[in-house]
Amino acid sequence: MDLKGKISILADAAKYDVSCSSSGSSRMNRPGGIGNGARSGICHSWSADGRCISLLKILMTNSCIYDCEYCVNRRSNDTKRVFLSPEEIVSLTIQFYRRNYIEGLFLSSGIISSPDYTTELLLKIAKLLRLRENFNGYIHMKGIPGTNTKLLQELGHYVDRLSINMELPSEHALQLLAPQKTRSAIIQPMKFIHEQFVERHSEKHLAKYMQPFIPAGQTTQMIVGASGENDRHILKLSEALYKKMSLKRVYYSAYVPIMTGKNLPAVKQPPLLRENRLYQADWLLRYYHFSADEILTDQQPNFDLAVDPKTNWALRNWQLFPIEINTAAYEMILRIPGIGIRSAARIVAMRRLTPLSYDNLKHIGIVFKRARHFITCGGRYYGLGLDDPVLIKNILVSQNCRKLFQQISLFEGQV
Amino acid sequence: MYYQYDGSFSGFLSVIYEAYHDGTSHVEGIENICAGTNIFEKEKKVDANLTKADKVLNGLYRKCGARVAQTLYFAFMAERPEREMLLFYFICAAFRNSHMLSYSKTDPWIGQVENWALQTSNERYRMLGLLRFRELAEGMLYAAIRPKYNIAPLMAGHFAQRLSGEEWAIHDLGRHLAVYYDKKRIITTDVTEQETNIKYSKSEKLFSSIWCQYYRHISIQERENPNLRRSFMPEKYWPYLTEMTQLSEHHA
Ligand code: SF4
């Protein structure tokens, strides 16, 4: 089969991986080399589903010795198997990069022979790119569960980002849907990378003399909706991963029913709205000082699809509202629906100079329509639901539905 | 006094240099010769002078920092017809008060200049991703763009860093200018004659068609969302995108 045919198959097989981010690397070009990192990432195109294309996201091969039920590449699926040689991948990466199609390579693979053998091939590609081609653009590679840590360590010196997919949010789901993968085969390498980071951090003063090691950090991905876990379970898992494994990002991918299997749920549409709510809650974890327990409780373990998690939290904790903009602590202001990190910082900075009035607020960049129900400004309340949070919910829901498209785009556009 | 200059950024800065020499209170108008109009009688024609331009820009940089200098440059490159006097005002304000940018919320003129700079900077950033090179028969990389603002010179540094070992050119079709990089220097030139018979290298067709194939297959059909795509990648950029042009040929 020619290169074009192989690309079609292997891009098809790689497209369900969500991450295409090229951010976090400030690798410089070297004399005689090609490429560098752009710290905040660059999108080069957008595919017909509206997702950013930043990297050449491809599988080395779609052959696999494993049999994960949800995956097109599973051993038992009757499909054409192809393989891109290291030289082919290197040449595609360089030629695409020269033409400014991409920021770099995101390479994943089915497992051939063994996890170690597969990783050795990935390592070979990384070395060819970095050492022979002097390529300094972005490289993101998949860590294969069960790989020897020695190999991962070496790979870590050449790539910008390494990600090992959680795949499914629980051990039970793994057993059911990905019987050859175990929780520990996934967690162990993650933990190993984390420990490497910690170790290097303690020797920070030597940083100059050290080889780089996964400078853009490790990330992971979970499939949402293929197994029965509730949202609270997933969110708590993410929280633990951020805290204990120093992950840069957890990606969620709504389960797209491409395969059928006895243990797979019968759904028609991928649960996109649920995925979107998870991303919003994930933001609350990472940037807004929320804990998973606050966002979803034992009594209410799933997202209210009608309102976003922050608003939902506010309505549940109505006794804390309305919040006085001129006196509340920064952490509280962050928690007001309709106020983002930047506007919260701006509010705190500006009120030092002068008490904020209603007019000031309108120009500060908050979503006033939403925020007004939750704040007072100089003691005055401008919202509609002082005694009745249910009323606010009703008002916001109708606004929400119209906003839905925008919200989804907001989160998927992240570089 | 009325000043005339050649429309270039260094020309404009030379005018500022002269204006400071003559006393800024004498400045009644600054006119771009390329824009055509010659309505005044007593213009002073100022030639672009790199040394003088450098002095002004460096002075500004030293006094107010990189952000102000960049705001000026980017705002100029937005090429608004009424830009000269407003930018002149901006420079005077900056030399008077180095923290001037923090007033942009209260001074509408400074806010306006900042806004122009922001628009230029946004288009530049978007184009850093959307620009497409094609390999010519002689091995040079060539990109054609038609941006709203004059961003080709503003992108040159970015590509000189990442493609430092390549010979490349970015051609602004609308402004008839090109930035060219010869593996050492960046040169900006006017393009008077349009090359109609561009010859691409042998492998160009192969790689661009693989890219198009890749582009089509990386999209998830179940999630198709044309509005979302258009909001990130407006249609006006499509004619210059390899993956979008060859796609439509394919459909036709
Ligand atoms: S190991 Fe990966 S490629 Fe192989 S079947 Fe499982 S999910 Fe698919």
Side-chain angles (χ1 to χ4, degrees):
Chain A
M1 188 183 285
D2 68 345
L3 208 47
K4 225 162 140 180
K6 289 205 248 178
I7 290 288
S8 313
I9 295 177
L10 294 172
D12 260 329
K15 69 185 170 193
Y16 298 101
D17 217 294
V18 195
S19 156
C20 194
S21 156
S22 60
S23 59
S25 159
S26 27
R27 199 181 286 269
M28 309 254 264
N29 198 357
R30 282 176 301 192
I34 171 170
N36 57 5
R39 184 131 200 94
S40 53
I42 295 177
C43 278
H44 285 260
S45 191
W46 280 267
S47 48
D49 51 16
R51 295 187 307 163
C52 150
I53 300 177
S54 178
L55 303 170
L56 169 60
K57 178 162 61 178
I58 197 126
L59 253 53
M60 176 172 72
T61 175
N62 63 343
S63 306
C64 191
I65 54 172
Y66 283 8
D67 206 31
C68 309
E69 214 167 302
Y70 50 84
C71 175
V72 262
N73 308 323
R74 72 180 191 208
R75 195 184 50 206
S76 58
N77 189 25
D78 181 20
T79 175
K80 199 162 178 57
R81 309 289 170 167
V82 291
F83 176 81
L84 282 172
S85 72
E87 289 297 344
E88 282 173 322
I89 292 175
V90 168
S91 134
L92 277 176
T93 307
I94 298 288
Q95 293 305 331
F96 278 16
Y97 194 89
R98 289 178 70 220
R99 289 167 174 78
N100 206 38
Y101 300 159
I102 52 169
E103 281 297 291
L105 173 68
F106 177 8
L107 190 62
S108 175
S109 181
I111 303 170
I112 29 177
S113 296
S114 73
D116 281 356
Y117 178 74
T118 314
T119 307
E120 272 164 25
L121 283 171
L122 296 181
L123 180 62
K124 180 171 178 194
I125 294 165
K127 278 170 121 170
L128 280 175
L129 278 169
R130 289 283 192 240
L131 303 179
R132 192 186 71 193
E133 302 292 328
N134 204 349
F135 175 72
N136 301 299
Y138 202 85
I139 302 182
H140 176 172
M141 284 201 183
K142 271 274 124 84
I144 312 281
T147 303
N148 185 322
T149 47
K150 273 257 156 29
L151 278 171
L152 282 182
Q153 185 167 26
E154 194 180 356
L155 189 59
H157 292 312
Y158 300 105
V159 301
D160 293 293
R161 174 166 280 181
L162 197 66
S163 59
I164 300 154
N165 282 358
M166 284 300 291
E167 302 290 13
L168 293 159
S170 72
E171 178 96 61
H172 174 72
L174 273 180
Q175 261 168 22
L176 208 59
L177 298 174
Q180 288 99 335
K181 287 183 186 161
T182 58
R183 188 67 174 258
S184 72
I186 295 169
I187 294 284
Q188 279 312 319
M190 249 186 212
K191 209 160 147 196
F192 171 76
I193 294 171
H194 167 68
E195 283 159 6
Q196 296 282 307
F197 283 147
V198 175
E199 202 172 300
R200 293 168 70 87
H201 192 78
S202 65
E203 294 166 4
K204 223 172 162 183
H205 54 288
L206 301 172
K208 261 204 302 213
Y209 310 102
M210 287 196 274
Q211 263 180 298
F213 185 77
I214 320 182
Q218 63 168 334
T219 61
T220 193
Q221 171 175 320
M222 277 186 263
I223 303 168
V224 176
S227 47
E229 295 81 10
N230 61 31
D231 295 330
R232 180 176 147 86
H233 177 98
I234 297 174
L235 204 61
K236 290 206 69 136
L237 178 58
S238 304
E239 187 177 46
L241 289 172
Y242 285 129
K243 282 203 179 127
K244 298 202 185 117
M245 303 282 179
S246 60
L247 254 70
K248 271 269 150 46
R249 275 297 290 272
V250 176
Y251 289 94
Y252 309 91
S253 102
Y255 168 63
V256 184
I258 27 172
M259 303 298 290
T260 49
K262 62 180 190 315
N263 295 318
L264 286 171
V267 291
K268 286 225 166 51
Q269 284 298 316
L272 291 180
L273 189 52
R274 184 176 174 207
E275 177 195 286
N276 183 36
R277 290 282 178 255
L278 272 167
Y279 275 116
Q280 290 174 325
D282 190 87
W283 274 69
L284 296 182
L285 287 182
R286 286 185 297 143
Y287 298 118
Y288 288 81
H289 308 291
F290 276 88
S291 70
D293 283 327
E294 287 175 308
I295 300 168
L296 291 168
T297 59
D298 257 337
Q299 292 78 27
Q300 223 197 55
N302 285 310
F303 288 114
D304 185 340
L305 293 182
V307 288
D308 66 275
K310 200 181 186 189
T311 307
N312 195 28
W313 174 84
L315 295 175
R316 259 193 291 115
N317 294 282
W318 187 245
Q319 74 281 0
L320 299 171
F321 292 90
I323 287 172
E324 171 55 46
I325 282 288
N326 279 302
T327 54
Y330 170 73
E331 288 72 27
M332 265 331 275
I333 293 187
L334 265 187
R335 293 182 166 228
I336 301 169
I339 296 186
I341 299 172
R342 278 174 68 181
S343 29
R346 221 174 287 153
I347 286 172
V348 175
M350 272 181 73
R351 73 182 184 189
R352 252 185 241 130
L353 306 172
T354 157
L356 295 178
S357 69
Y358 172 81
D359 268 348
N360 294 144
L361 271 188
K362 287 209 125 172
H363 293 119
I364 224 162
I366 67 177
V367 186
F368 195 76
K369 258 199 191 140
R370 174 178 301 252
R372 66 185 182 133
H373 303 293
F374 300 93
I375 56 171
T376 57
C377 181
R380 258 203 77 181
Y381 181 68
Y382 295 93
L384 296 171
L386 197 47
D387 319 302
D388 187 8
V390 179
L391 185 66
I392 301 181
K393 182 169 169 181
N394 291 338
I395 298 166
L396 290 180
V397 167
S398 52
Q399 282 177 8
N400 252 4
C401 291
R402 268 179 277 126
K403 286 262 175 65
L404 194 61
F405 164 71
Q406 285 174 12
Q407 270 176 21
I408 290 184
S409 53
L410 191 74
F411 285 94
E412 296 191 338
Q414 299 295 330
V415 197
Chain B
M1 195 173 324
Y2 288 88
Y3 294 86
Q4 277 190 334
Y5 76 111
D6 61 359
S8 71
F9 188 54
S10 42
F12 175 71
L13 291 175
S14 307
V15 166
I16 303 295
Y17 182 89
E18 293 298 330
Y20 265 89
H21 205 73
D22 301 339
T24 49
S25 55
H26 295 297
V27 180
E28 289 169 85
I30 302 171
E31 207 191 83
N32 178 356
I33 296 182
C34 298
T37 49
N38 270 333
I39 40 171
F40 309 117
E41 300 276 290
K42 42 185 179 163
E43 303 93 353
K44 175 168 177 178
K45 197 163 173 301
V46 179
D47 290 327
N49 178 319
L50 281 184
T51 329
K52 291 178 183 171
D54 247 15
K55 274 194 180 141
V56 175
L57 200 60
N58 264 326
L60 196 67
Y61 177 78
R62 248 179 285 127
K63 169 132 192 186
C64 311
R67 208 176 133 220
V68 170
Q70 188 188 315
T71 302
L72 174 70
Y73 187 25
F74 276 48
F76 184 88
M77 294 310 237
E79 300 193 327
R80 301 300 173 122
E82 69 282 22
R83 68 185 161 175
E84 283 84 9
M85 285 311 275
L86 215 55
L87 291 176
F88 172 61
Y89 170 84
F90 179 86
I91 294 170
C92 294
F95 275 121
R96 264 199 313 273
N97 179 349
S98 57
H99 296 299
M100 167 259 320
L101 275 187
S102 48
Y103 294 99
S104 58
K105 289 270 176 294
T106 47
D107 183 330
W109 288 7
I110 292 177
Q112 176 70 81
V113 170
E114 240 198 338
N115 196 272
W116 290 344
L118 190 68
Q119 283 173 344
T120 311
S121 152
N122 285 347
E123 191 182 40
R124 170 186 175 272
Y125 183 68
R126 181 178 260 167
M127 197 54 96
L128 289 183
L130 292 182
L131 178 131
R132 295 288 177 266
F133 284 115
R134 286 168 187 272
E135 191 183 60
L136 302 184
E138 316 84 68
M140 184 173 108
L141 296 170
Y142 168 82
I145 57 175
R146 197 183 282 278
K148 190 162 170 200
Y149 309 115
N150 191 1
I151 54 172
L154 305 176
M155 296 195 295
H158 172 86
F159 288 107
Q161 265 171 24
R162 58 172 50 182
L163 302 175
S164 58
E166 304 264 2
E167 190 186 2
W168 51 256
I170 300 172
H171 183 181
D172 184 333
L173 298 171
R175 290 182 179 74
H176 307 289
L177 66 83
V179 283
Y180 166 71
Y181 177 79
D182 65 355
K183 304 189 190 181
K184 280 193 217 67
R185 292 157 303 158
I186 299 166
I187 302 153
T188 309
T189 52
D190 290 327
V191 182
T192 39
E193 251 171 274
Q194 184 84 26
E195 179 71 63
T196 46
N197 189 19
I198 298 177
K199 282 209 177 55
Y200 295 111
S201 75
K202 282 208 193 73
S203 59
E204 179 54 34
K205 201 163 163 218
L206 173 69
F207 286 110
S208 62
S209 69
I210 296 179
W211 167 243
C212 293
Q213 191 82 353
Y214 172 76
Y215 177 80
R216 235 174 307 151
H217 282 271
I218 205 65
S219 169
I220 300 179
Q221 242 171 16
E222 291 87 342
R223 301 182 65 137
E224 208 137 286
N225 193 341
N227 289 332
L228 189 57
R229 168 168 72 181
R230 217 172 296 119
S231 75
F232 286 125
M233 195 164 78
E235 258 169 281
K236 65 175 178 190
Y237 297 112
W238 293 10
Y240 308 98
L241 286 168
T242 315
E243 61 271 29
M244 299 314 276
T245 45
Q246 299 205 348
L247 271 185
S248 44
E249 275 163 30
H250 194 86
H251 284 301

PDB file of all heavy atoms in Angstrom, chain B residues 36-47:
ATOM      1  N   GLY B  36      -1.505  59.068  -1.632  1.00  0.00           N
ATOM      2  CA  GLY B  36      -1.904  59.840  -2.804  1.00  0.00           C
ATOM      3  C   GLY B  36      -2.155  61.324  -2.598  1.00  0.00           C
ATOM      4  O   GLY B  36      -1.598  62.146  -3.301  1.00  0.00           O
ATOM      5  N   THR B  37      -2.949  61.689  -1.646  1.00  0.00           N
ATOM      6  CA  THR B  37      -3.418  63.081  -1.577  1.00  0.00           C
ATOM      7  C   THR B  37      -2.298  64.080  -1.302  1.00  0.00           C
ATOM      8  O   THR B  37      -1.439  63.862  -0.467  1.00  0.00           O
ATOM      9  CB  THR B  37      -4.469  63.232  -0.473  1.00  0.00           C
ATOM     10  OG1 THR B  37      -3.947  62.629   0.708  1.00  0.00           O
ATOM     11  CG2 THR B  37      -5.764  62.571  -0.881  1.00  0.00           C
ATOM     12  N   ASN B  38      -2.354  65.189  -2.005  1.00  0.00           N
ATOM     13  CA  ASN B  38      -1.397  66.272  -1.803  1.00  0.00           C
ATOM     14  C   ASN B  38      -2.149  67.569  -1.605  1.00  0.00           C
ATOM     15  O   ASN B  38      -2.091  68.474  -2.418  1.00  0.00           O
ATOM     16  CB  ASN B  38      -0.484  66.417  -3.023  1.00  0.00           C
ATOM     17  CG  ASN B  38       0.747  65.559  -2.860  1.00  0.00           C
ATOM     18  OD1 ASN B  38       1.163  65.286  -1.750  1.00  0.00           O
ATOM     19  ND2 ASN B  38       1.303  65.132  -3.981  1.00  0.00           N
ATOM     20  N   ILE B  39      -2.886  67.657  -0.540  1.00  0.00           N
ATOM     21  CA  ILE B  39      -3.772  68.815  -0.421  1.00  0.00           C
ATOM     22  C   ILE B  39      -3.093  70.034   0.192  1.00  0.00           C
ATOM     23  O   ILE B  39      -3.604  71.120   0.130  1.00  0.00           O
ATOM     24  CB  ILE B  39      -5.036  68.478   0.410  1.00  0.00           C
ATOM     25  CG1 ILE B  39      -4.624  67.596   1.575  1.00  0.00           C
ATOM     26  CG2 ILE B  39      -6.106  67.847  -0.451  1.00  0.00           C
ATOM     27  CD1 ILE B  39      -5.691  67.358   2.584  1.00  0.00           C
ATOM     28  N   PHE B  40      -1.916  69.803   0.761  1.00  0.00           N
ATOM     29  CA  PHE B  40      -1.303  70.926   1.472  1.00  0.00           C
ATOM     30  C   PHE B  40      -0.247  71.598   0.617  1.00  0.00           C
ATOM     31  O   PHE B  40       0.298  71.028  -0.296  1.00  0.00           O
ATOM     32  CB  PHE B  40      -0.688  70.441   2.786  1.00  0.00           C
ATOM     33  CG  PHE B  40      -1.654  69.644   3.606  1.00  0.00           C
ATOM     34  CD1 PHE B  40      -1.398  68.316   3.900  1.00  0.00           C
ATOM     35  CD2 PHE B  40      -2.842  70.215   4.055  1.00  0.00           C
ATOM     36  CE1 PHE B  40      -2.294  67.583   4.639  1.00  0.00           C
ATOM     37  CE2 PHE B  40      -3.738  69.485   4.801  1.00  0.00           C
ATOM     38  CZ  PHE B  40      -3.464  68.162   5.093  1.00  0.00           C
ATOM     39  N   GLU B  41       0.044  72.846   0.951  1.00  0.00           N
ATOM     40  CA  GLU B  41       0.999  73.623   0.186  1.00  0.00           C
ATOM     41  C   GLU B  41       2.418  73.473   0.730  1.00  0.00           C
ATOM     42  O   GLU B  41       3.358  73.292   0.005  1.00  0.00           O
ATOM     43  CB  GLU B  41       0.609  75.101   0.245  1.00  0.00           C
ATOM     44  CG  GLU B  41      -0.769  75.368  -0.323  1.00  0.00           C
ATOM     45  CD  GLU B  41      -0.734  75.524  -1.832  1.00  0.00           C
ATOM     46  OE1 GLU B  41      -0.196  76.559  -2.289  1.00  0.00           O
ATOM     47  OE2 GLU B  41      -1.201  74.616  -2.555  1.00  0.00           O
ATOM     48  N   LYS B  42       2.522  73.573   2.021  1.00  0.00           N
ATOM     49  CA  LYS B  42       3.849  73.728   2.618  1.00  0.00           C
ATOM     50  C   LYS B  42       4.354  72.461   3.299  1.00  0.00           C
ATOM     51  O   LYS B  42       4.777  72.487   4.433  1.00  0.00           O
ATOM     52  CB  LYS B  42       3.817  74.873   3.620  1.00  0.00           C
ATOM     53  CG  LYS B  42       2.541  74.845   4.459  1.00  0.00           C
ATOM     54  CD  LYS B  42       2.430  76.032   5.382  1.00  0.00           C
ATOM     55  CE  LYS B  42       1.112  75.848   6.119  1.00  0.00           C
ATOM     56  NZ  LYS B  42       0.706  76.407   7.203  1.00  0.00           N
ATOM     57  N   GLU B  43       4.282  71.308   2.560  1.00  0.00           N
ATOM     58  CA  GLU B  43       4.733  70.085   3.193  1.00  0.00           C
ATOM     59  C   GLU B  43       6.241  70.075   3.315  1.00  0.00           C
ATOM     60  O   GLU B  43       6.952  70.629   2.494  1.00  0.00           O
ATOM     61  CB  GLU B  43       4.347  68.844   2.364  1.00  0.00           C
ATOM     62  CG  GLU B  43       2.898  68.697   2.079  1.00  0.00           C
ATOM     63  CD  GLU B  43       2.521  69.324   0.753  1.00  0.00           C
ATOM     64  OE1 GLU B  43       3.392  69.983   0.145  1.00  0.00           O
ATOM     65  OE2 GLU B  43       1.360  69.158   0.334  1.00  0.00           O
ATOM     66  N   LYS B  44       6.696  69.383   4.353  1.00  0.00           N
ATOM     67  CA  LYS B  44       8.114  69.092   4.444  1.00  0.00           C
ATOM     68  C   LYS B  44       8.263  67.607   4.132  1.00  0.00           C
ATOM     69  O   LYS B  44       7.692  66.766   4.800  1.00  0.00           O
ATOM     70  CB  LYS B  44       8.604  69.384   5.864  1.00  0.00           C
ATOM     71  CG  LYS B  44      10.042  69.008   6.100  1.00  0.00           C
ATOM     72  CD  LYS B  44      10.535  69.599   7.414  1.00  0.00           C
ATOM     73  CE  LYS B  44      11.966  69.153   7.688  1.00  0.00           C
ATOM     74  NZ  LYS B  44      12.498  69.734   8.937  1.00  0.00           N
ATOM     75  N   LYS B  45       9.000  67.305   3.076  1.00  0.00           N
ATOM     76  CA  LYS B  45       9.145  65.910   2.684  1.00  0.00           C
ATOM     77  C   LYS B  45      10.296  65.287   3.465  1.00  0.00           C
ATOM     78  O   LYS B  45      11.413  65.795   3.454  1.00  0.00           O
ATOM     79  CB  LYS B  45       9.438  65.841   1.188  1.00  0.00           C
ATOM     80  CG  LYS B  45       9.213  64.479   0.610  1.00  0.00           C
ATOM     81  CD  LYS B  45       9.106  64.555  -0.916  1.00  0.00           C
ATOM     82  CE  LYS B  45       9.040  63.169  -1.523  1.00  0.00           C
ATOM     83  NZ  LYS B  45      10.200  62.324  -1.218  1.00  0.00           N
ATOM     84  N   VAL B  46      10.012  64.201   4.166  1.00  0.00           N
ATOM     85  CA  VAL B  46      11.039  63.560   4.979  1.00  0.00           C
ATOM     86  C   VAL B  46      11.377  62.207   4.380  1.00  0.00           C
ATOM     87  O   VAL B  46      10.492  61.391   4.151  1.00  0.00           O
ATOM     88  CB  VAL B  46      10.541  63.368   6.431  1.00  0.00           C
ATOM     89  CG1 VAL B  46      11.614  62.684   7.265  1.00  0.00           C
ATOM     90  CG2 VAL B  46      10.159  64.701   7.036  1.00  0.00           C
ATOM     91  N   ASP B  47      12.663  61.996   4.081  1.00  0.00           N
ATOM     92  CA  ASP B  47      13.064  60.686   3.566  1.00  0.00           C
ATOM     93  C   ASP B  47      13.254  59.710   4.712  1.00  0.00           C
ATOM     94  O   ASP B  47      13.668  60.099   5.799  1.00  0.00           O
ATOM     95  CB  ASP B  47      14.387  60.801   2.793  1.00  0.00           C
ATOM     96  CG  ASP B  47      14.172  61.560   1.497  1.00  0.00           C
ATOM     97  OD1 ASP B  47      13.077  61.432   0.923  1.00  0.00           O
ATOM     98  OD2 ASP B  47      15.092  62.298   1.097  1.00  0.00           O
TER      99      ASP B  47
END
